[in-house]
């Protein structure tokens, strides 16, 4: 997994830093394309990115 700042990650996934912050805090739900772009930017698989997601 790459170590990126929110700003660097935002640039790689064509989103702004505030949007990524909102994703982290659970304030917005990203679409599948954005989730896939985040996984690619972090150099990990989708399953790795989502393995700790807990459905309520």
């Amino acid at each position: 997994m790459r170590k990126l700042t929110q700003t660097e990650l935002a640039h790689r996934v064509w989103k702004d830093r505030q949007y990524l912050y909102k994703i982290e805090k659970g304030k917005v739900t990203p679409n599948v394309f954005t989730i896939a772009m985040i996984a690619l930017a972090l150099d990990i698989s989708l399953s790795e990115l989502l393995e700790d997601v807990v459905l309520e």
Side-chain angles (χ1 to χ4, degrees), residues 17-20 22-23 26 28 35 39-40 46 48 54:
R17 187 195 56 78
Q18 291 93 353
Y19 183 71
L20 292 181
K22 289 176 184 176
I23 292 172
V28 298
I35 295 169
L40 283 171
L46 275 173
E48 287 177 284
V54 177

Side-chain angles (χ1 to χ4, degrees), residues 4-47:
L4 301 172
T5 66
Q6 277 185 346
T7 302
E8 291 169 330
L9 181 59
H11 179 72
R12 289 174 184 238
V13 299
W14 304 327
K15 301 291 181 187
D16 61 43
R17 187 195 56 78
Q18 291 93 353
Y19 183 71
L20 292 181
Y21 172 81
K22 289 176 184 176
I23 292 172
E24 279 188 22
K25 296 300 179 183
K27 297 182 184 288
V28 298
T29 303
N31 62 35
V32 173
F33 180 77
T34 300
I35 295 169
M37 291 298 295
I38 291 170
L40 283 171
L42 295 173
D43 198 29
I44 60 175
S45 68
L46 275 173
S47 61

